[in-house]
Amino acid sequence: MSPGLLKMWISLGSIVFMFISVFSIYFSRYKITNRVGKVVLAFIAYSLMIVAGLIMVIVVFSGPTDA
């Protein structure tokens, strides 16, 4: 697998993390009534959002590949 293709898959995984976190935040705010469930789901969602953002920054600032 070429380095460019690997970077593409890593950034795609980051985008999936962002979608999961958006839906998790929606469910934690509007659909779940249990207070502990809200906090746990929101914590997971914000953690995924931070990880996705860090991955995107690393991929973008790592520069182009030589392939």
Side-chain angles (χ1 to χ4, degrees):
M1 185 179 299
S2 69
L5 189 61
L6 185 62
K7 284 174 70 171
M8 181 204 65
W9 283 111
I10 290 171
S11 63
L12 185 66
S14 177
I15 292 169
V16 169
F17 280 174
M18 287 184 192
F19 278 118
I20 291 172
S21 66
V22 165
F23 288 117
S24 297
I25 290 169
Y26 172 77
F27 280 116
S28 72
R29 287 188 180 177
Y30 300 112
K31 298 295 182 183
I32 296 177
T33 58
N34 185 4
R35 177 81 172 149
V36 175
K38 281 185 173 188
V39 171
V40 169
L41 194 59
F43 177 76
I44 291 170
Y46 286 116
S47 299
L48 280 176
M49 186 66 80
I50 290 169
V51 168
L54 289 175
I55 290 171
M56 285 300 233
V57 166
I58 291 170
V59 167
V60 168
F61 287 122
S62 66
T65 58
D66 294 331

